[in-house]
């Protein structure tokens, strides 16, 4: 899937691992950078003590769906 900077996206499956912040499936985000075939996405996630928080994660564009 082709994504561009500024596109609103959501994850198709959970993202995470040893070197990445965990992002649940369906989390909304905005593409902030495209580098070497990967998309850096700023995701909005529920906060640990209420509210919300943002995390930036490098994602394979195939794991994203445009909103």
């Amino acid at each position: 899937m082709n994504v561009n900077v500024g596109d609103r996206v959501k994850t198709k499956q959970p993202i995470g691992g040893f070197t990445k912040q965990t992002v649940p499936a369906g989390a909304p985000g905005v593409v902030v950078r495209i580098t070497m075939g990967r998309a850096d996405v700023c995701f909005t996630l529920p906060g640990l003590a209420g509210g919300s928080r943002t995390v930036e994660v490098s994602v394979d564009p195939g794991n994203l769906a445009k909103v």
Side-chain angles (χ1 to χ4, degrees), residues 9-61:
V9 296
K10 66 178 181 178
T11 58
K12 291 182 181 177
Q13 60 190 16
I15 298 170
F18 182 71
T19 60
K20 289 186 183 179
Q21 175 73 38
T22 301
V23 178
V30 176
V31 178
V32 293
R33 192 171 25 259
I34 305 291
T35 55
M36 297 178 10
R38 298 193 61 83
D40 292 347
V41 181
C42 184
F43 290 102
T44 302
L45 304 175
L48 301 175
S52 63
R53 61 190 170 105
T54 60
V55 295
E56 189 174 311
V57 180
S58 180
V59 180
D60 178 353

